[in-house]
Amino acid sequence: MSKNNKIGLEIEHKLWTEGNELIAGVDEAGRGPLAGPVVAAAVIFPKEIFIEDVDDSKKVSAKKRELLFDLIMGKAISVGIGIIDHNTIDEINILKSAMLAMRNALNNLRVKPDYVIVDGNSFKHENLPFQNIIGGDSKSFTIASASIIAKVTRDKIMSEYDNEFPQYGFSKHKGYGTKRHIEAIRKYGLCAIHRKSFHSV
């Protein structure tokens, strides 16, 4: 267990003792922003793999997230990513989009997990055994790893959009409703990647 947080492998150990070899941790990033996609990640590690300093992505600096991203990608058996764009978010709502991103992330794994642990309380799956864990990104190493993969992936997407729409400052706030972002929307209006269903400005 990390010295700096309470995240360990307790949840994973319980599932391993129950005969689940391949455990996928799943989390998403980007439910709250006013622009851009929601991104989910699913991560499967070999048994007993642990990376020091992995934590809920919101508690880790951007620089450290980048380093941990590379370590996770290097040590995982498989990583799957699911990306749902702003148009779909407007069509089916953000909760359904986040759940769809999670499903897509699982579908994009190279191997099928024996069991899935998911941050939050809304995920469902017909074909895979799963467990929703509220605050899972602060309790499970595997879910926390997924949160970092999802966050870094989404941040990179938003930084690329900053090149296309520089007036909004997406590389700084990643689409969240900061003062600068709201002011830019009021000045320039909504751009192509804004979530129209989120806006009242």
Side-chain angles (χ1 to χ4, degrees):
M1 182 179 291
S2 170
K3 298 173 184 176
N4 299 323
N5 57 54
K6 297 180 180 180
I7 286 182
L9 292 167
E10 288 82 2
I11 293 169
E12 290 84 347
H13 271 294
K14 183 175 185 297
L15 291 168
W16 287 328
T17 61
E18 294 169 356
N20 301 289
E21 292 287 321
L22 298 175
I23 299 167
V26 181
D27 200 3
E28 51 75 27
R31 279 206 209 186
L34 306 179
V38 60
V39 176
V43 181
I44 300 175
F45 287 106
K47 273 186 175 182
E48 303 298 344
I49 287 292
F50 186 81
I51 301 169
E52 196 74 17
D53 294 329
V54 163
D55 201 345
D56 171 5
S57 64
K58 297 183 290 295
K59 300 176 183 177
V60 181
S61 70
K63 185 176 181 180
K64 181 161 278 189
R65 282 197 301 263
E66 294 275 355
L67 295 173
L68 291 171
F69 178 96
D70 291 338
L71 288 172
I72 292 164
M73 294 296 286
K75 292 182 179 293
I77 292 172
S78 184
V79 174
I81 304 290
I83 301 171
I84 302 300
D85 68 16
H86 55 282
N87 289 322
T88 304
I89 292 169
D90 283 339
E91 289 170 12
I92 67 173
N93 79 42
I94 186 58
L95 177 59
K96 290 179 181 176
S97 296
M99 296 304 105
L100 182 57
M102 289 177 170
R103 283 175 168 267
N104 290 350
L106 285 165
N107 289 339
N108 288 329
L109 288 167
R110 293 193 310 273
V111 294
K112 182 179 178 181
D114 298 314
Y115 200 92
V116 180
I117 49 177
V118 188
D119 182 55
N121 60 0
S122 302
F123 181 79
K124 295 179 182 179
H125 204 286
E126 300 78 28
N127 301 317
L128 293 172
F130 68 90
Q131 179 182 354
N132 286 308
I133 303 173
I134 295 173
D137 51 5
S138 294
K139 299 173 182 176
S140 158
F141 164 74
T142 313
I143 296 176
S145 296
S147 80
I148 288 170
I149 296 296
K151 173 66 174 167
V152 172
T153 300
R154 187 180 186 280
D155 284 357
K156 288 179 180 177
I157 291 170
M158 295 309 295
S159 292
E160 290 170 5
Y161 277 133
D162 189 65
N163 295 324
E164 191 173 349
F165 307 102
Q167 65 271 39
Y168 294 95
F170 289 133
S171 65
K172 298 291 186 183
H173 52 66
K174 307 302 189 289
Y176 283 87
T178 63
K179 182 180 178 182
R180 176 183 174 183
H181 189 189
I182 297 298
E183 288 173 349
I185 292 170
R186 287 179 173 148
K187 183 174 181 180
Y188 301 109
L190 301 179
C191 76
I193 67 160
H194 277 106
R195 303 171 180 178
K196 309 300 187 289
S197 56
F198 274 49
H199 291 272
S200 58
V201 294

